[in-house]
Amino acid sequence: METNGIENKKTGMENDRDLQFLLQGGDLLKVRSSSWKKTRYFRLMEDCKTMFRESKRTFKTSKTFLVDDISAVRMGRQSDGLRKNTEEHVESRCFSIMFKGRRKNLDLIASSEDEARQWVDSLEKIRSSLNNLSTQAKTEHWIFSCLRKSDKNKDDKLSLSELKNFMHLINIEVDDDYAEMLFEKCDKSNSGYLAGEEIKLFYDLLTHREEIDVIYGEYAKTSGFMSPQNLVDFLKKEQREDATLADAHNIIQKHEPDENAKEKKLLSKDGFLMYMRHPEALVLNPDHREVYQDMDQPLNHYFISSSHNTYLMEDQLQGPSSTEAYVRALLKGCRCVELDCWDGSEGEPEIYHGYTLTSKILFKDAIKAIKEYAFKTSDYPVILSLENHCSVEQQEVMAHHMSSILGSALVTSPLGHGMPKGFPSPEELKGKFLIKGKRLNKLEATFAPDNTEDDEEDVTEEEESDDEDQEQEKKKVKKKLKLAKALSDMVVYCKSVHFHGFEDARQHLSFYEMSSFKENKALELAGESANAYIHHNVEKLSRIYPAGSRTNSSNYSPVPLWSAGCQVVALNFQTTCSDMDVNQGRFLINGKSGYVLKPDYMRDPASEFDPVTLTRGDWLQHKMLHIMVISGQQLPKLSKKKSSIVDPLVRVEVYGVPDDNAEEKTSAIDNNGFNPEWNENMEFNVHVPELALVRFTVEDHDSATSNEFVGQYTLPFNSLRMGYRHVPLLNKNGDVLPSAGLFVYIMVTDAN
């Protein structure tokens, strides 16, 4: 198909020097190991979204990958592979292509520094251009790509058989009669194939949205168009927005593609659809996409996005450790990362999962990666949670590396003057690193050394749990940990201590002394003593971590722990699952800062809130959530088989206090992932809206086995927007599925 010009214009890069460089391509040295380095030819294909590589210019052993699958392109020897398998003198010629999900990095060496820089800049530019396409442009980009694949003989025409092949590619099953009817309707020239304007007519018929027609028709009262007043009526009545005529004029100016209509200050149906699919009109409140909460409260008054065994890429028994795992977690907004530190060779501490076959990385390499990527997604503080198994000598090395690499960003003494009475705020700690770990004495000793004593016993974090299965797991012996003073002094606001009960903590522990709880113990406390746990967390920080029996790096639900006020609920970020989806949904808001302010009643020392018993109080704001699941758009195929078409159903779940947990699902639509329609209603009771989250999941129905995951989107209940809304979908790795989505109608009413 002759769509190159269309594709280039859609990326906004026609005649661009970087685009031309990628289209021409060139040779690069691919690095797999110190002994495996081979030349490969790379270039961007004409669709401007697929990279092509081959071993020789024979075009026989070629492989491709999508530009959209690239998460980052990094200059220099930043990957573990390049650091391990190349010499320092090639640093300036090296770069790595990092992929989304668990796909391995592509480590490459160019012939010169200039060439390496050209590759990095060009790939980042094309990646950014594709990411910035409007939803409409992404849809067209995808459809034209499928049309091109369907044109088997490359004659820029579509025969009936090629049209059927195209329908399979876009995930829609049609019977022969319907395909022939569509074909004949578009074949105006009666030539037996579609070309030029006939293909455009076919595209228009295919992308027609009847549900949008109905909504638009209700309000398009001005010679078949929407006037500014018509648009205000729609926004107020259906979308429950406090819109003005000025808002309507801005929407028309921004989204109307027809210049004639725009000049007359009218919104066409195409303009209406483009607006409805724009981020400002989606299901997530656009105000919540930025930092909108009060960031001047004490640190422990926030839920904090937290990771467990951050260094692992896979499981906890023999999976690889990697600095890339830290990068990925930080770029997802994680604000508390874990470093499991052990004595390494040549005096250099290492990070790995003790007593297992997981691979090792250098402590200093992890700190360098953390320093570089800590504040790319969020400016707010990062907590380094140290699980310290090192000798005093190597603890001194750890302290040196953190001091020299993190520099003034590392908090090594309390902010302000004198002994603090409470935590500083995330705002005060912007761009700072906090160390969580053991300390030889109380912080008060810094200001009044005569009034304090050294701790009698120090244990590593894994030993802090008094769960019975811990002894069965490793049979560790509690012992006093010899701690290097230089490392001890770096622990200011997050001193690790053993938990002896809420009353003991209230009487004997300072605000900065925090305990770590294994999930089972934490869930037991959250179920039986939730109000006491909430009071504990009003004063102090609590960290929760997965049971050691989760050797496959599976996760637990963070929701009951959030409901008990626990701030640092650490999950295995490397594991894709519904629990991780919910975690990312909780921290989707507030600018993805990794900090979400807890409700007032979870910050009040006199709070009577208990998520289990739900006695009366300000937290009870009983709402009814009404959802109509109307339709879906361009749901991806799960199988590469040509005959495989998705049978989609939609599952909607509410997570929150026990009384609010609920789920409902639609019926399945047979053989249609392109434009399925459900028009099915659901209703949910939500008693504590501030703690509730809503998750939309699309599944491929299978009556013989369990349904297969297609995509999902999770967001806080209070961030939902009412009215007709598109819901974007994320894949299992948390990346946006281009063009795919749901169309729903949402209404929230008072239950009383």
Side-chain angles (χ1 to χ4, degrees):
M1 312 294 300
E2 287 191 13
T3 57
N4 296 359
I6 293 170
E7 303 292 0
N8 290 357
K9 283 173 185 171
K10 288 191 187 308
T11 60
M13 289 182 65
E14 60 272 29
N15 303 319
D16 183 89
R17 175 175 166 270
D18 291 314
L19 177 63
Q20 298 310 315
F21 170 80
L22 291 175
L23 288 169
Q24 181 177 338
D27 289 335
L28 293 166
L29 197 63
K30 182 181 174 184
V31 180
R32 276 192 186 166
S33 68
S34 55
S35 58
W36 197 104
K37 298 183 178 77
K38 297 187 179 180
T39 301
R40 294 289 183 262
Y41 174 66
F42 288 81
R43 69 176 173 86
L44 181 67
M45 296 179 74
E46 288 75 14
D47 65 358
C48 294
K49 70 171 190 172
T50 309
M51 286 299 295
F52 166 98
R53 79 173 187 265
E54 60 173 359
S55 55
K56 292 179 182 177
R57 299 192 183 216
T58 58
F59 294 91
K60 289 181 181 176
T61 56
S62 60
K63 292 185 178 180
T64 64
F65 59 87
L66 294 176
V67 173
D68 192 54
D69 288 339
I70 299 174
S71 65
V73 188
R74 299 188 189 136
M75 190 75 182
R77 296 163 65 242
Q78 290 199 44
S79 71
D80 297 327
L82 283 175
R83 275 195 297 268
K84 182 179 177 183
N85 301 315
T86 62
E87 303 295 328
E88 277 191 43
H89 67 83
V90 297
E91 171 90 32
S92 64
R93 293 163 45 204
C94 294
F95 67 97
S96 297
I97 297 175
M98 312 301 201
F99 293 99
K100 297 171 183 175
R102 291 188 174 181
R103 185 171 177 173
K104 288 184 179 178
N105 307 334
L106 197 52
D107 292 332
L108 303 164
I109 303 177
S111 60
S112 69
E113 180 179 353
D114 287 345
E115 187 185 345
R117 174 59 62 190
Q118 178 75 67
W119 276 104
V120 172
D121 291 346
S122 300
L123 284 168
E124 278 294 348
K125 184 185 281 189
I126 189 74
R127 191 175 74 86
S128 176
S129 296
L130 287 174
N131 285 342
N132 291 333
L133 288 178
S134 68
T135 309
Q136 182 77 10
K138 281 179 182 171
T139 301
E140 294 178 14
H141 200 282
W142 176 68
I143 288 177
F144 279 120
S145 175
C146 292
L147 281 169
R148 190 184 300 104
K149 285 182 192 172
S150 306
D151 185 15
K152 296 295 185 185
N153 58 3
K154 307 301 178 193
D155 62 355
D156 295 335
K157 299 171 183 176
L158 277 184
S159 65
L160 178 58
S161 65
E162 287 173 335
L163 180 136
K164 290 178 182 177
N165 183 51
F166 168 73
M167 300 292 251
H168 276 291
L169 280 174
I170 64 169
N171 203 11
I172 184 168
E173 182 68 65
V174 294
D175 60 35
D176 286 348
D177 289 343
Y178 182 68
E180 286 177 25
M181 181 271 288
L182 256 184
F183 189 84
E184 288 173 7
K185 194 169 186 177
C186 297
D187 183 15
K188 303 292 187 184
S189 60
N190 296 317
S191 59
Y193 56 79
L194 307 184
E197 286 298 312
E198 293 170 336
I199 292 177
K200 181 168 186 319
L201 175 60
F202 172 66
Y203 166 80
D204 290 340
L205 286 173
L206 202 63
T207 55
H208 175 239
R209 295 268 306 271
E210 186 176 348
E211 71 275 33
I212 295 294
D213 285 1
V214 172
I215 299 165
Y216 182 78
E218 278 287 312
Y219 290 90
K221 304 297 186 184
T222 310
S223 60
F225 289 83
M226 268 192 186
S227 68
Q229 185 58 55
N230 297 154
L231 182 53
V232 167
D233 293 343
F234 166 76
L235 293 171
K236 284 186 170 181
K237 183 178 178 185
E238 304 293 354
Q239 310 299 76
R240 303 301 169 101
E241 294 180 30
D242 189 18
T244 65
L245 279 173
D247 296 327
H249 282 295
N250 287 336
I251 289 170
I252 293 170
Q253 192 62 35
K254 190 172 179 180
H255 300 285
E256 178 52 55
D258 186 321
E259 289 301 325
N260 289 330
K262 187 187 289 187
E263 200 174 308
K264 296 174 183 175
K265 296 182 172 49
L266 296 173
L267 189 67
S268 67
K269 188 167 64 181
D270 285 343
F272 179 69
L273 179 56
M274 289 179 78
Y275 164 66
M276 291 293 284
R277 297 186 69 172
H278 190 271
E280 70 187 64
L282 298 182
V283 68
L284 174 66
N285 185 334
D287 293 339
H288 293 188
R289 291 160 60 94
E290 309 300 326
V291 174
Y292 71 97
Q293 295 182 331
D294 178 4
M295 301 303 282
D296 290 311
Q297 296 295 314
L299 192 74
N300 65 317
H301 285 185
Y302 298 82
F303 298 123
I304 303 172
S305 179
S306 307
S307 163
H308 173 65
N309 287 353
T310 315
Y311 48 90
L312 291 178
M313 297 288 280
E314 295 174 18
D315 68 72
Q316 300 181 32
L317 291 182
Q318 53 190 16
S321 303
S322 172
T323 57
E324 181 62 22
Y326 286 100
V327 173
R328 292 183 182 188
L330 291 166
L331 291 178
K332 284 183 176 178
C334 179
R335 298 291 87 188
C336 180
V337 297
E338 185 178 24
L339 299 96
D340 201 340
C341 311
W342 300 80
D343 279 0
S345 59
E346 300 178 12
E348 284 291 345
E350 295 175 329
I351 294 176
Y352 63 97
H353 200 46
Y355 312 110
T356 67
L357 299 175
T358 57
S359 63
K360 304 173 182 180
I361 55 175
L362 291 177
F363 177 81
K364 65 179 179 182
D365 287 343
I367 297 298
K368 285 176 183 174
I370 290 167
K371 169 69 185 300
E372 181 159 0
Y373 289 93
F375 305 112
K376 299 274 188 189
T377 298
S378 168
D379 294 330
Y380 291 96
V382 170
I383 301 169
L384 306 184
S385 180
L386 301 183
E387 190 180 313
N388 176 16
H389 306 269
C390 290
S391 62
V392 170
E393 292 75 23
Q394 295 212 8
Q395 289 178 39
E396 296 278 3
V397 177
M398 288 168 58
H400 168 73
H401 287 322
M402 288 194 289
S403 179
S404 62
I405 294 168
L406 302 179
S408 61
L410 179 62
V411 174
T412 55
S413 61
L415 274 58
H417 303 287
M419 178 62 201
K421 291 185 169 52
F423 289 98
S425 69
E427 192 66 34
E428 291 174 290
L429 291 167
K430 259 187 175 179
K432 298 292 186 182
F433 294 96
L434 302 177
I435 304 300
K436 175 194 170 292
K438 287 294 171 183
R439 186 181 167 92
L440 287 169
N441 54 15
K442 285 200 172 248
L443 187 61
E444 287 85 347
T446 310
F447 303 95
D450 294 338
N451 296 334
T452 58
E453 300 176 0
D454 285 355
D455 291 347
E456 291 180 5
E457 182 180 286
D458 280 78
V459 294
T460 62
E461 180 174 299
E462 288 288 357
E463 294 168 320
E464 285 179 358
S465 172
D466 55 3
D467 284 4
E468 291 178 9
D469 66 335
Q470 187 67 44
E471 288 186 26
Q472 299 299 320
E473 193 184 320
K474 292 194 184 94
K475 292 189 176 177
K476 293 181 182 175
V477 179
K478 285 190 179 183
K479 61 181 180 181
K480 184 164 180 176
L481 175 71
K482 291 182 179 177
L483 195 58
K485 185 176 186 303
L487 189 60
S488 168
D489 288 348
M490 289 180 168
V491 176
V492 180
Y493 291 111
C494 301
K495 178 189 174 185
S496 299
V497 297
H498 193 68
F499 179 72
H500 294 288
F502 293 128
E503 186 58 29
D504 175 82
R506 190 180 67 80
Q507 290 188 19
H508 299 118
L509 297 185
S510 299
F511 74 90
Y512 59 85
E513 293 181 300
M514 65 181 290
S515 300
S516 290
F517 304 82
K518 188 177 287 188
E519 62 171 282
N520 297 335
K521 180 66 175 177
L523 287 168
E524 179 187 321
L525 291 170
E528 297 176 3
S529 311
N531 185 252
Y533 216 166
I534 287 165
H535 286 179
H536 177 81
N537 290 319
V538 169
E539 305 295 336
K540 298 172 181 67
L541 283 166
S542 291
R543 179 177 184 269
I544 320 299
Y545 62 98
S549 56
R550 294 183 180 275
T551 53
N552 61 348
S553 291
S554 60
N555 278 311
Y556 57 97
S557 173
V559 176
L561 288 317
W562 289 329
S563 295
C566 298
Q567 304 90 344
V568 186
V569 183
L571 298 186
N572 289 301
F573 265 55
Q574 72 273 25
T575 303
T576 58
C577 59
S578 60
D579 300 316
M580 193 61 211
D581 292 339
V582 169
N583 189 75
Q584 291 304 93
R586 164 66 68 206
F587 295 103
L588 177 68
I589 60 166
N590 208 30
K592 293 187 179 177
S593 63
Y595 287 84
V596 170
L597 186 63
K598 295 196 285 186
D600 290 346
Y601 49 82
M602 301 188 89
R603 297 183 273 130
D604 177 4
S607 177
E608 296 180 8
F609 174 62
D610 187 315
V612 180
T613 59
L614 274 192
T615 52
R616 286 209 165 273
D618 292 344
W619 46 86
L620 272 182
Q621 300 167 18
H622 192 180
K623 304 288 184 184
M624 294 300 298
L625 171 62
H626 310 268
I627 297 177
M628 175 188 268
V629 179
I630 300 171
S631 62
Q633 296 81 44
Q634 292 142 58
L635 307 175
K637 289 176 67 169
L638 299 175
S639 170
K640 298 296 182 187
K641 291 180 184 176
K642 183 178 176 183
S643 59
S644 172
I645 303 293
V646 72
D647 302 326
L649 65 83
V650 178
R651 188 182 305 273
V652 180
E653 298 159 283
V654 174
Y655 294 85
V657 299
D659 278 3
D660 288 347
N661 293 328
E663 71 169 72
E664 292 198 33
K665 63 181 180 180
T666 67
S667 55
I669 303 292
D670 291 338
N671 292 326
N672 187 355
F674 185 73
N675 55 4
E677 287 195 20
W678 291 277
N679 294 309
E680 294 186 28
N681 290 295
M682 303 173 177
E683 201 169 84
F684 300 89
N685 280 284
V686 181
H687 299 86
V688 186
E690 287 182 290
L691 292 177
L693 297 112
V694 181
R695 182 173 189 247
F696 298 86
T697 309
V698 179
E699 300 171 4
D700 182 11
H701 176 67
D702 191 322
S703 55
T705 61
S706 58
N707 295 346
E708 202 168 350
F709 175 89
V710 175
Q712 69 84 33
Y713 191 73
T714 307
L715 74 167
F717 177 89
N718 279 352
S719 297
L720 284 169
R721 300 184 85 197
M722 289 192 274
Y724 292 101
R725 302 292 174 184
H726 283 97
V727 180
L729 291 175
L730 311 179
N731 64 18
K732 62 181 181 180
N733 296 315
D735 300 313
V736 175
L737 289 167
S739 308
L742 297 173
F743 189 54
V744 300
Y745 182 77
I746 294 172
M747 190 53 56
V748 176
T749 59
D750 290 327
N752 301 325

